[in-house]
Amino acid sequence: MAAAPVWSVDPRTGKRREQVAVEATAAEVDAAVRAAHDARGALADRRVRAALLRRAADLLDGAEERIVEAADAETALGPGRLTGELGRTTYQLRAFADVVEEGAFLDVLIDHADPALTPPRPDLRRYKIPLGVVAVYAAGNFPLAFSVPGGDTASALAAGCPVVVKAHPDHPATSELSAALLRRAAAETGLPAGVIGLVHGFEAGIELVRHPLVAAAGFTGSVRGGRALYDAAAARPHPIPFHGELGSLNPVVVTEAAADERAEQIGTGLAGSMTLGTGQFCVKPGLVLAPHGPAGDRLERSLAEAVSTTEAGVLLDHRMRDAFIDGVRERAALPDVQAPVTPGAGGEHTVSAGFLTVPAARLADDGGTHDLLLEECFGPVTVLARYADEAEIGAVLARLPGNLTATLQLGAAECAGEEGTAEGGAGAGDGTGRGVSAGGTGRGARLLAALTPLAGRLLVNGWPTGVAVAPAQHHGGPYPATTSTATSVGGTAVERWLRPVAYQDTPPALLPPELREDNPLNLPRRVDGRPER
């Protein structure tokens, strides 16, 4: 039986552009994984890893025109967006090179022997080592930053782990181009091509997560697909870590004071955030709690005006377009749900932006009738839930699943903690029993405390679309936002692909260089509880 062809498809027309590859067989997946496994030793030198990451960034920058053209033809995301995404991608490759050279990610700890302690302490030396081959499952909505040359790949290579990427079917040509540039970077830094593998096909993805030489996996995509792979990773004879980003509603709470002060600004800001990239961002605000009354009405009118002027856009593929249209239709049919601006089909190949409204009381607890509104709908739509009081906010938040982000829109006095210190409301019980506290007792602090258990990143008076690549960034959250507590963005993303090892009473000549007394690699270390340098 002939291998199934892999086609590059134009989402603007739904027509095939070219055959890029064929779906990988089980034997081909095995070959890619074994080549990666054999390349582990070549990545042992941190200087070589840093050089690889920087050379990859240079080659990707040098091929900007070709990469942007290929990615736009397959995703319809536009040259402007894709040029920015390529810049983000190469920036994070160079940022991980800096992380590798600095060496703090190895988390070196040395405790010298102390027989005077009770019980006596032996000589203990601990650091982190790479897990092994990492399987990366590319995202559809970020053909670069969360795909073949993206954060999972960059952080795994930084950790010293070879990578085999399962390409996303929406941009196979971009994936092949990116992988070729990464392999060229490997060759130019003296590394085997096997440090970067690429396979296509659904069955190849299953074979990859089940392969006994794959030591960990990173995934960005749907709840359904991610959960299936997560379960497969856990069901292996030797389960492996599976770091999946699956889905997020990204709730926003707008206080009455914030709406009073800047309803129009909030409405237009929300419209821009929810329609950015045709609503295809994992941090798109999908549920907004806004007050009843005149201020909330002003916000809703502003949102309607801004969304109404948004042009129809193309989603990543027609399957997603169909799912968006069906999802919106099903949500709009629920009791007491209105559509001030109706989202749906904008044309044969496009979708139009819009939003739905519902009384917040309907979401608080109505026997599950409106639970669909508490699930992500991928595309340019959000739900505006109008609440009567702070207790109603708390009741809705208590029913939300885990999220990547949660946002507060506060008034000036609330930001300063000057709006009063009455107890109760949303902060009195977040519905989780986790006892999270904030740095004050006013409304802003209470609401922030209620949102904290729900998300990995909390924003005040901003919008969640846009995830800065920075050391303090956290892109993750409680399930189903992610399947682990780790971040997939920022320098600490490297920690996902490492495990700690401690050496006890080991003769100096046998210790790894990272743990030797004279610190030959000049690493940042903690010795006997204190920083060494």
Side-chain angles (χ1 to χ4, degrees):
M1 182 177 178
V6 174
W7 293 93
S8 174
V9 176
D10 183 349
R12 294 179 174 96
T13 64
K15 294 182 179 179
R16 293 173 173 175
R17 297 176 57 248
E18 59 177 333
Q19 182 180 338
V20 172
V22 295
E23 294 186 358
T25 63
E28 288 166 337
V29 172
D30 178 67
V33 173
R34 291 188 182 279
H37 185 74
D38 290 344
R40 291 173 301 151
L43 287 173
D45 189 326
R46 289 188 297 121
R47 293 170 298 181
V48 173
R49 301 205 303 264
L52 167 63
L53 293 166
R54 291 201 175 96
R55 186 59 185 147
D58 291 343
L59 290 175
L60 288 163
D61 280 338
E64 176 183 306
E65 185 175 347
R66 284 191 295 148
I67 292 171
V68 169
E69 181 181 4
D72 182 50
E74 294 186 305
T75 67
L77 289 173
R81 149 70 194 275
L82 290 165
T83 299
E85 186 180 333
L86 178 59
R88 170 200 173 93
T89 302
T90 57
Y91 174 84
Q92 69 185 356
L93 283 164
R94 295 186 178 100
F96 278 115
D98 293 340
V99 168
V100 171
E101 286 184 333
E102 194 263 346
F105 74 99
L106 295 171
D107 196 20
V108 180
L109 303 172
I110 296 176
D111 291 320
H112 290 110
D114 190 342
L117 293 177
T118 304
R121 184 175 71 200
D123 185 272
L124 290 166
R125 296 164 187 252
R126 179 186 189 270
Y127 79 136
K128 293 179 178 177
I129 64 172
L131 289 173
V133 179
V134 170
V136 170
Y137 293 82
N141 56 341
F142 281 87
L144 302 169
F146 287 84
S147 187
V148 174
D152 284 352
T153 297
S155 59
L157 292 173
C161 296
V163 171
V164 179
V165 183
K166 189 274 179 187
H168 195 280
D170 281 347
H171 41 79
T174 307
S175 299
E176 287 285 347
L177 175 56
S178 298
L181 292 168
L182 293 182
R183 292 194 191 105
R184 179 179 161 191
E188 292 181 5
T189 49
L191 291 164
V195 298
I196 303 290
L198 181 68
V199 297
H200 297 268
F202 176 82
E203 291 299 328
I206 299 296
E207 292 289 338
L208 187 58
V209 79
R210 291 175 176 167
H211 197 288
L213 295 181
V214 168
F219 171 90
T220 304
S222 68
V223 174
R224 182 180 178 183
R227 184 55 194 256
L229 290 170
Y230 174 74
D231 290 345
R236 291 168 39 134
H238 297 281
I240 59 172
F242 183 90
H243 300 284
E245 179 191 317
L246 311 187
S248 186
L249 193 60
N250 305 301
V252 178
V253 176
V254 182
T255 66
E256 188 168 1
D260 281 336
E261 292 173 10
R262 56 183 202 288
E264 289 75 17
Q265 179 184 344
I266 292 172
T268 55
L270 172 59
S273 186
M274 58 157 283
T275 61
L276 186 66
T278 323
Q280 297 175 109
F281 280 72
C282 53
V283 289
K284 179 201 74 176
L287 174 68
V288 182
L289 287 157
H292 280 304
D297 292 343
R298 287 167 45 217
L299 189 160
E300 184 175 327
R301 286 196 296 273
S302 175
L303 176 62
E305 291 172 5
V307 171
S308 295
T309 61
T310 302
E311 294 184 1
V314 177
L315 295 185
L316 294 166
D317 60 39
H318 281 60
R319 175 183 56 82
M320 292 183 186
R321 179 180 178 274
D322 293 343
F324 172 75
I325 293 169
D326 292 343
V328 166
R329 183 185 300 116
E330 190 175 357
R331 287 164 172 80
L334 296 172
D336 291 332
V337 173
Q338 303 295 322
V341 179
T342 303
E348 184 180 359
H349 305 291
T350 61
V351 296
S352 60
F355 69 98
L356 308 175
T357 63
V358 66
R362 278 292 202 175
L363 302 180
D365 187 8
D366 66 347
T369 303
H370 288 73
D371 282 1
L372 190 59
L373 298 178
L374 304 181
E375 298 177 11
E376 179 184 25
C377 185
F378 196 72
V381 64
T382 195
V383 175
L384 193 67
R386 303 291 295 272
Y387 65 84
D389 53 34
E390 194 174 331
E392 209 163 81
I393 297 174
V396 174
L397 296 183
R399 301 198 64 236
L400 295 188
N403 295 270
L404 295 170
T405 73
T407 300
L408 267 180
Q409 296 288 340
L410 299 175
E414 292 169 326
C415 287
E418 298 170 354
E419 84 291 352
T421 59
E423 297 298 328
D430 59 29
T432 67
R434 282 170 274 197
V436 175
S437 62
T441 56
R443 184 180 302 110
R446 291 198 308 271
L447 289 170
L448 194 62
L451 288 171
T452 297
L454 299 176
R457 178 163 59 106
L458 285 298
L459 298 91
V460 177
N461 291 351
W463 297 106
T465 37
V467 185
V469 179
Q473 184 60 271
H474 186 81
H475 189 60
Y479 185 85
T482 54
T483 59
S484 71
T485 59
T487 180
S488 61
V489 178
T492 55
V494 71
E495 296 172 1
R496 296 174 296 169
W497 321 120
L498 300 164
R499 70 176 181 89
V501 175
Y503 292 78
Q504 181 171 324
D505 291 333
T506 302
L510 302 182
L511 285 169
E514 292 85 353
L515 301 180
R516 291 176 185 167
E517 197 69 22
D518 59 349
N519 195 6
L521 302 181
N522 197 31
L523 292 168
R525 313 192 301 186
R526 291 187 69 87
V527 178
D528 295 331
R530 294 183 175 84
E532 188 174 50
R533 64 174 176 86

